[in-house]
Amino acid sequence: MTSRRVQGTTHKNTLLAWSTRSSVCAASALTSILTLLAFPPFGLWILTFLAPLPLLWAAGLTHKNRLGAAIAASLGAAPVWAWQHQWVFGVSAPGAVLMIIYLSLYAGAFVWLLSWLSSRLRTSVWLLGPVVWVGLEVLRGEVVWQGYPWLLTGYPLIESPYLSRAGAVVGIYGISFLTVALGMSALGIVTSKNRLRILAAASFFGIAITWAALSATPRVVTDGVLRVAVVQTNIPQSVKLGWPPATRMRDLDRMLELTVRACETDTPPDLVIWPETMFPGDALDANSLAEERAAALAWVTETDVAWPVLRFVITRGADGIDPPVPVSGPFEQNNRLMMPTTVASDSLLAWQERLGIPFLIGAAGIDELRFEVEEGTGSITESSKARYNSSYLINQGRVEGNRYDKIHLTPFGEVMPYISAWPWLERLVLRVGIGATDLSFNFDAGTDPLTHIVRTESGLVRVATPICFEGIMPGICRRLAYAGNERQADVLIQLTNEGWFSSFDTGREQHLQIIRWRAVELGISVVRAANTGISAVISPDGRVIARGVEAGDTRADGVLWADAPLPTGTTPFGRMGDIVGWANLAGLGALLLAGVIVGFTHRGRPQSPDTDETEEENR
C-alpha cells in the first residue's frame, strides 16, 4: 500500500512538474510575442506594458525545480530572438546560434532569480520584478560581452512624445523601469489580496504620478540649424567585404556623383556626410597617404574584367601635387589593368576643395602606416602601429583637425570581448566560425571623445560622431556629447554601415528607433548617415524630421537634405548620466546578497515557497 502511494505521488509530481514547465514555456513565448509586436515593423508600442507580465506570472508559478522552469522560459524566448537575429546567420551561422542561446537565457534567468528571491525574501514577485527585470537589462546591455542593448522594454515608447520625455531625466533604462513597474503594479492589484492589493494600487498611482512629473521636464531650446546633406550609399556587405577593383571604382564614382549633386542646390548644405567606412581607399591622413604614394600601390585586374566608364574620379599624379585630372578608366601595363589606389583620396580631396563645402567621411584611421616592397618579387607587406574605425572632417582640400577613432568596438564584429586579449584564443574562435565572417578583427579602440568643428555662416558647430554600434550605447554617446555636466557637442552624427542587415529591414528600423533615444536623453539632434539606409535626421525630442532618400528608405542610394536644430541647453541625463540604470543593477545585486544572507540565517527552518499567499496578505 505504501509503495503504491509513493508511486502515485511521484507520478503526480512528475505530471505537475511537466505542467508547470509547459506553462512557463508558454508564458515566455507570450512575452516574446508581445515584445515582437511592440517593436517595428508592427509598432504596437502600448503592448510593451504587457510584455513582461506573462514571465512575471511564470516566476510566481515556479516554486520547485527552478532550473527546469528556467530552461523552459529560455526555450520559449528562443524563437523570437532567432527571428530578430536572422540576419546574423549571414554573418556567422555558428555565432548566430550561440547568440540566440545566450539572449534566450535572460528569460530563464529572470524566472529563476525572481522565484528564488521571492521565496527567500518572502515578498510578492510583482514587488521584486521591476528591479530584477531592469537589472538584467542593464547587465545584458552594458556589461556582459561589452553590452548588447537590443530590444529593451522602454524602446517602443519613443513613439509617445509625452511618455518618452522622461528619458531626458532617467534615460532609457529608467523608462524601462517605469514601464515594467507600472505593468507589474497593475498585475499586483489584480492578483494580490487585502494589504498587498492596497500597496499595489499605491505603487501604481505613485509610479504614474512620478512619470507625469518627469515628463513635465522642460524641453531643450534650440537656436539655429546645421543644414546637412547625407550621401546614403547602397553597397551590400557581401560586396564591400571583397570590394573588387572595378566595383570599387564604380562605387567611388557614384558616391562622388551624389556628393556633387548634394552640394549643387539652391540652398547649399553646411556639411556633406558619408557613412561608416565608405571611403574606398586606404588612407586619408597626410602621413599614411604619403606612404601609399611612395609604395605606388595599384588595384589590379586581368584585362578581360569589365571596368565602368568613370566620370568623377580624379588623379593628381604620382606625387599628389599635379593639377587634378579626370580619370575615365584603368591603364594597361604588363597585360593587366591597373588603377592607382591614391585616386580615391585624390578625388575626394579635389572635389571637396572645388565644391567648398566641408565633408565628414567614415574611413579607416591608421597610425604609422608602412609598406615594405620586397626586391625581386615586388610583393608588398603592410604594417601599422594601430588601425581604427574613424571619422574625418575634410575642408579646404585636406583633413582638418584630428580624426575621431571609434571608442567602443562592436562585439564579435570588430573585437572579441575578453577573447581578443589572447590572440591564440581569438584565432581558434575565428577558425570555428564564431564572429563576423571574413573580418580580421584588427581594429583598435580609440580613447579620445573628439569632436569635429564645422564652420558655418552662423558660427562654429561642434559635431560628435558615434560610429555604428556606439549609437546604441547611452554611456558612450553621453561621453561624446558631454564633458562632465557641460555640453561639448551640438549635433550627434552617427556614421553606420547597415549592410550587415542584408534584406532584413526590421533591423534597420529598430536601429533607428534606438538612436532616437540618444536625442531625447542628451537633448541633441541626431543625424544618421547609413549605408543601405535608413539615413535620417532626428530632433532633440526624438522626433524624426526627415528620413530616407529619393529612391526609398532602405537599400537605395541617394541624398537626404535636412536641417538639424541646434540645442542651447542641457538635460538632467546629460549632466548626471545613467543613474537609474546602474541603480537597478546595484539593486539586483543587493537583492541577491539579501537572499543569500536570509538563506544562511534561516538555514534549516521550514519555509513556504508560496509568497503570494503570505500571512500578511490574508490578514
Side-chain angles (χ1 to χ4, degrees):
M1 179 69 70
T2 302
S3 175
R4 290 179 182 177
R5 187 176 300 160
V6 170
Q7 289 177 359
T9 302
T10 302
H11 180 65
K12 182 180 179 180
N13 288 339
T14 301
L15 290 177
L16 183 60
W18 276 107
S19 175
T20 300
R21 292 172 197 167
S22 299
S23 298
V24 170
C25 186
S28 180
L30 181 56
T31 285
S32 299
I33 291 170
L34 290 172
T35 300
L36 181 68
L37 294 175
F39 280 81
F42 306 102
L44 303 176
W45 60 267
I46 197 71
L47 295 181
T48 199
F49 287 99
L50 303 178
L53 302 187
L55 265 187
L56 180 76
W57 172 83
L61 186 69
T62 306
H63 306 312
K64 298 179 180 178
N65 192 8
R66 294 190 180 95
L67 179 60
I71 293 172
S74 299
L75 290 174
V80 169
W81 280 118
W83 186 85
Q84 285 285 347
H85 292 83
Q86 56 188 270
W87 59 274
V88 181
F89 284 93
V91 179
S92 167
V97 173
L98 291 176
M99 185 179 191
I100 292 162
I101 293 172
Y102 160 70
L103 293 172
S104 300
L105 290 176
Y106 280 91
F110 175 77
V111 169
W112 193 98
L113 286 172
L114 187 55
S115 175
W116 182 79
L117 287 170
S118 176
S119 177
R120 281 292 176 94
L121 303 179
R122 301 182 66 81
T123 305
S124 292
V125 290
W126 67 264
L127 274 171
L128 301 172
V131 173
V132 177
W133 184 279
V134 180
L136 288 173
E137 280 199 340
V138 176
L139 187 69
R140 171 170 65 86
E142 302 293 326
V143 181
V144 181
W145 303 116
Q146 297 184 1
Y148 185 64
W150 207 262
L151 293 189
L152 300 185
T153 305
Y155 283 154
L157 295 183
I158 194 67
E159 306 303 336
S160 169
Y162 178 73
L163 295 176
S164 63
R165 197 181 305 174
V169 182
V170 298
I172 182 56
Y173 292 109
I175 294 293
S176 283
F177 179 82
L178 291 170
T179 303
V180 175
L182 198 68
M184 291 187 178
S185 296
L187 187 64
I189 295 172
V190 174
T191 60
S192 300
K193 300 176 181 179
N194 303 324
R195 292 186 180 181
L196 273 181
R197 177 171 291 175
I198 295 172
L199 178 60
S203 174
F204 180 88
F205 288 109
I207 294 165
I209 292 169
T210 300
W211 202 331
L214 292 171
S215 296
T217 303
R219 294 183 179 181
V220 170
V221 177
T222 60
D223 182 19
V225 298
L226 177 71
R227 181 161 177 77
V228 298
V230 177
V231 175
Q232 177 170 298
T233 51
N234 184 33
I235 302 174
Q237 193 62 23
S238 58
V239 171
K240 190 176 182 300
L241 286 173
W243 226 350
T247 305
R248 186 186 296 253
M249 286 297 97
R250 181 201 65 193
D251 293 335
L252 172 62
D253 203 59
R254 176 60 175 166
M255 285 186 273
L256 293 169
E257 177 187 1
L258 293 173
T259 301
V260 172
R261 181 150 63 89
C263 296
E264 295 179 343
T265 59
D266 294 337
T267 307
D270 298 315
L271 184 66
V272 175
I273 308 165
W274 284 18
E276 174 194 15
T277 64
M278 283 302 110
F279 174 66
D282 289 327
L284 265 176
D285 64 279
N287 293 333
S288 298
L289 187 54
E291 282 292 319
E292 190 178 351
R293 291 190 190 282
L297 301 182
W299 291 303
V300 181
T301 70
E302 300 297 332
T303 55
D304 59 351
V305 174
W307 284 64
V309 176
L310 306 175
R311 298 176 296 156
F312 295 88
V313 175
I314 288 172
T315 182
R316 301 198 67 168
D319 297 325
I321 58 176
D322 297 340
V325 176
V327 177
S328 60
F331 64 89
E332 186 173 348
Q333 181 176 317
N334 298 327
N335 294 320
R336 298 282 184 90
L337 297 179
M338 309 182 72
M339 176 70 74
T341 61
T342 52
V343 299
S345 53
D346 284 350
S347 300
L348 189 63
L349 299 176
W351 274 111
Q352 191 285 316
E353 188 173 24
R354 182 180 302 180
L355 294 168
I357 295 172
F359 293 175
L360 184 65
I361 305 296
I366 310 173
D367 286 346
E368 299 182 17
L369 178 64
R370 295 288 183 271
F371 293 103
E372 295 183 7
V373 182
E374 184 177 333
E375 294 185 8
T377 64
S379 62
I380 298 175
T381 302
E382 177 185 336
S383 64
S384 61
K385 180 180 179 181
R387 181 178 288 267
Y388 305 95
N389 188 348
S390 306
S391 66
Y392 293 82
L393 182 66
I394 299 176
N395 198 15
Q396 298 179 344
R398 59 182 176 79
V399 173
E400 185 172 83
N402 296 321
R403 66 173 189 252
Y404 166 70
D405 299 327
K406 186 177 182 181
I407 294 172
H408 190 97
L409 299 180
T410 304
F412 301 100
E414 294 170 321
V415 67
M416 292 282 187
Y418 321 130
I419 297 169
S420 291
W422 294 277
W424 66 269
L425 182 59
E426 181 182 85
R427 289 192 296 270
L428 176 63
V429 171
L430 289 174
R431 193 174 298 123
V432 299
I434 300 172
T437 305
D438 296 327
L439 291 185
S440 56
F441 289 83
N442 62 345
F443 277 130
D444 296 278
T447 58
D448 185 12
L450 181 142
T451 56
H452 300 291
I453 307 299
V454 178
R455 295 174 175 82
T456 69
E457 292 182 357
S458 57
L460 302 180
V461 178
R462 300 165 297 177
V463 174
T465 55
I467 297 176
C468 194
F469 191 82
E470 289 184 317
I472 71 173
M473 304 299 294
I476 294 297
C477 287
R478 178 179 176 269
R479 183 180 173 191
L480 293 174
Y482 283 73
N485 60 359
E486 296 292 331
R487 182 184 296 281
Q488 69 173 4
D490 304 304
V491 179
L492 283 185
I493 298 182
Q494 184 195 28
L495 311 180
T496 183
N497 174 17
E498 309 286 67
W500 295 107
F501 289 121
S502 187
S503 61
F504 190 61
D505 288 341
T506 294
R508 295 181 174 89
E509 290 284 359
Q510 291 175 357
H511 197 178
L512 172 59
Q513 183 184 74
I514 295 172
I515 197 68
R516 292 168 64 187
W517 280 104
R518 305 295 88 84
V520 172
E521 291 167 342
L522 303 172
I524 196 168
S525 291
V526 177
V527 179
R528 298 190 83 231
N531 177 46
T532 73
I534 303 169
S535 297
V537 176
I538 303 160
S539 67
D541 61 0
R543 179 172 50 90
V544 177
I545 298 172
R547 57 176 281 167
V549 295
E550 310 96 312
D553 287 354
T554 64
R555 289 176 283 161
D557 66 8
V559 181
L560 171 65
W561 294 271
D563 293 338
L566 301 177
T568 60
T570 60
T571 64
F573 181 90
R575 295 190 299 270
M576 298 182 298
D578 199 359
I579 295 175
V580 177
W582 293 111
N584 268 276
L585 185 58
L588 176 58
L591 288 175
L592 292 174
L593 180 61
V596 171
I597 293 172
V598 168
F600 278 112
T601 303
H602 296 278
R603 179 173 291 179
R605 297 185 187 179
Q607 185 173 352
S608 170
D610 191 349
T611 58
D612 284 332
E613 296 292 334
T614 62
E615 181 182 350
E616 180 69 23
E617 285 184 299
N618 291 311
R619 287 179 181 175

